[in-house]
Amino acid sequence: MSEIASPPGRGPGAGLAALVPQRSAGLKLILVCALALLMAIPALFVYGVVYERSTREQAAIIDVSQRFGGAQSVLGPVLAAPWSRTPDPKKPDAVEYGFAIAYAETGTASADVAVEPRRRGLYTVPVFDAELELEAVFDPAALRNAVPRDATAFWADARLYLGISDSRGVKDAFRVTANGRAVAIEPAPAPWSDGSSYAATPQSGVTLAGGAVPDLETLETPLRVTAALRFTGADRFAVGPFAKDTTLKMRSDWPDPSFTGGVLPEAHTAGGEDGFEASWRVPYLARGIPGAGARLSLHDVTNWDNRDMAVRFINQASPYQSVQRALKYAVMFIGFVFLAYFLFEVTSGARAHPAQYVLVGLAQSIFYLLLLAVSERLGFDIAFGVAAGMTILLTAAYAASVFRSAAYGLRAFGILSGIYALMYVLMRAEDHALLAGAFASFAAIALTMWMTRNVEWYGGAAPR
């Protein structure tokens, strides 16, 4: 039985060709958009590299901190007296123990902080050397009144306490006076209690040091305490509101402070080569902690990011933060480049293969790797110029080759320069990044719609 030959144009692929028009600009645009979304995959790999490098930076900060004391939080002078009582006279063995705590009526602190960047491999860690002067005025009666009426205070063990979060950073002995008389300050034992005696020291979020102040049981006049501390640390410096009304003045030679903690400064001058000055005040009601009590916890004063006055010594132009911010817009900017190539394809009549779009997308992804690698050594601004320049030249030269015209290479150079200039603006104007990105995206779509308004999207087969 002889085979019947198919008529010309009626082969097996003829039906598919009729359904899928050849050289269809519409299908090509859909494919280009899909490829732009797929380019998010290599961007995710780059994001993983950025995360790994930032993790190594944190490890370097921890390593340097172990040598210089780490982030430091300071507790100014407080008075504490242990007490005991028997709540139930029928159970004389059931003894309750506690600490009466009295904070100063007023407290002032003055800090002079010198910061020196220390290198650890590729990473720079700001290490500070702080000189802190404290002054506090106490009402001794407040401590006595804080002892429960049915309790017995151990006045011989009453102490004036100061604290610092990491005592490894202490460089000199604490120089403390009470009403002009020197107070011998010694390390306080770690807090403990076995239920049969009172704890050696009150619970605190910092390492305490204390000294005895005579006549606390009978002193009627205000007690004026001064203290001078010198210590080192890294990354963060904080002072807790150690008095009912606390003020802090800080001066430092570091140009890029980040004010953190629970209370922001009332006034500050920052951002210059001469460093910064800042002043804080925490009034009694804003502090939110009673001035004296039988069951107060020093944790409330030293709890980070709650009530303390703090500053972090950081580099505002961290390469990892900047590159991460750039990666958030990776798909949008790769899409801009793909749209530019698509418009070149539509207007030139030349055809670009999907593989060529993929190569262009990979070049844009490698831009972020270049940006990360160079910024670790030269800073973000220089790195952006180097990485953007290399990527723009490569992509523009490739456009001249793909579309067989030097004019299209020059057009690609101009458009890509504008795209990367927009990216840099978004990285530096973080507060306005969303607004600028939204308008840029709208402008890109509007330009594409205008330039393709006369395109026959169905290719060779016009719609019926």
Side-chain angles (χ1 to χ4, degrees):
M1 199 173 167
S2 61
E3 294 183 359
I4 301 175
S6 298
R10 297 293 182 180
L16 181 62
L19 294 175
V20 183
Q22 301 300 304
R23 300 180 63 87
S24 170
L27 290 179
K28 190 58 171 290
L29 179 59
I30 294 174
L31 178 60
V32 167
C33 293
L35 289 176
L37 292 176
L38 286 176
M39 286 299 102
I41 296 175
L44 288 176
F45 284 107
V46 177
Y47 192 91
V49 175
V50 175
Y51 178 79
E52 186 268 337
R53 302 295 286 185
S54 63
T55 302
R56 291 180 60 180
E57 182 187 38
Q58 293 301 317
I61 292 176
I62 294 173
D63 183 67
V64 173
S65 298
Q66 290 177 347
R67 291 171 169 80
F68 291 92
Q72 295 285 22
S73 184
V74 177
L75 172 66
V78 296
L79 294 176
W83 53 263
S84 68
R85 69 175 181 175
T86 305
D88 188 353
K90 298 180 180 179
K91 300 179 180 179
D93 294 334
V95 181
E96 179 184 359
Y97 298 95
F99 264 93
I101 302 291
Y103 295 103
E105 300 296 312
T106 59
T108 60
S110 177
D112 194 345
V113 185
V115 184
E116 179 183 359
R118 295 296 181 99
R119 298 286 298 183
R120 180 67 174 174
L122 292 174
Y123 309 105
T124 300
V125 181
V127 173
F128 61 83
D129 189 325
E131 295 183 359
L132 179 64
E133 295 183 354
L134 304 165
E135 183 173 340
V137 178
F138 292 89
D139 178 8
L143 180 63
R144 296 192 292 269
N145 294 334
V147 178
R149 294 184 179 181
D150 57 347
T152 300
F154 302 96
W155 292 107
D157 293 329
R159 292 290 185 271
L160 171 71
Y161 287 107
L162 298 95
I164 186 169
S165 56
D166 195 332
S167 59
R168 294 174 299 177
V170 176
K171 295 305 176 185
D172 289 324
F174 292 177
R175 300 185 300 276
V176 181
T177 66
N179 284 344
R181 299 168 59 182
V183 178
I185 300 296
E186 298 178 348
W192 64 272
S193 178
D194 59 4
S196 61
S197 63
Y198 60 84
T201 56
Q203 293 286 339
S204 172
V206 297
T207 301
L208 294 178
V213 177
D215 304 326
L216 283 179
E217 185 179 6
T218 58
L219 186 63
E220 297 295 338
T221 58
L223 177 67
R224 184 177 299 274
V225 175
T226 64
L229 291 67
R230 179 173 174 259
F231 53 91
T232 60
D235 187 47
R236 189 179 190 271
F237 174 88
V239 176
F242 58 92
K244 289 182 178 180
D245 193 303
T246 309
T247 59
L248 167 64
K249 293 183 178 180
M250 185 183 300
R251 181 175 62 255
S252 175
D253 57 0
W254 186 253
D256 295 322
S258 175
F259 300 110
T260 60
V263 181
L264 295 178
E266 290 185 326
H268 67 84
T269 59
E273 295 182 357
D274 296 331
F276 73 92
E277 294 184 2
S279 60
W280 291 259
R281 178 171 179 255
V282 183
Y284 189 22
L285 292 180
R287 192 177 85 129
I289 303 172
R295 295 178 178 83
L296 297 183
S297 173
L298 298 180
H299 280 286
D300 294 335
V301 179
T302 58
N303 185 23
W304 286 11
D305 295 329
N306 190 3
R307 297 180 176 89
D308 61 354
M309 300 161 283
V311 59
R312 290 192 64 201
F313 304 100
I314 63 173
N315 187 351
Q316 298 286 13
S318 170
Y320 307 108
Q321 294 178 357
S322 299
V323 175
Q324 285 178 350
R325 197 179 308 141
L327 281 168
K328 293 178 182 178
Y329 298 92
V331 174
M332 182 179 75
F333 284 105
I334 292 174
F336 286 171
V337 176
F338 279 14
L339 276 179
Y341 263 62
F342 175 76
L343 292 177
F344 293 159
E345 187 175 343
V346 169
T347 57
S348 68
R351 303 291 288 175
H353 193 275
Q356 292 173 314
Y357 280 93
V358 171
L359 290 174
V360 171
L362 291 176
Q364 310 308 308
S365 299
I366 293 175
F367 158 78
Y368 296 101
L369 278 179
L370 287 171
L371 179 62
L372 174 63
V374 180
S375 63
E376 286 185 331
R377 291 163 173 80
L378 301 179
F380 181 79
D381 292 335
I382 297 177
F384 191 94
V386 172
M390 293 173 62
T391 306
I392 290 171
L393 289 174
L394 174 63
T395 311
Y398 193 58
S401 174
V402 170
F403 302 108
R404 302 177 180 85
S405 172
Y408 280 98
L410 292 176
R411 292 180 188 178
F413 181 84
I415 293 175
L416 291 172
S417 297
I419 290 175
Y420 279 90
L422 173 63
M423 183 188 298
Y424 183 80
V425 170
L426 293 183
M427 297 308 97
R428 283 291 175 249
E430 183 179 2
D431 294 339
H432 306 290
L434 178 60
L435 181 64
F439 276 100
S441 300
F442 181 84
I445 294 299
L447 178 63
T448 303
M449 295 172 68
W450 171 258
M451 295 190 66
T452 59
R453 64 191 185 280
N454 296 321
V455 170
E456 177 53 65
W457 294 104
Y458 285 94
R464 294 181 178 178

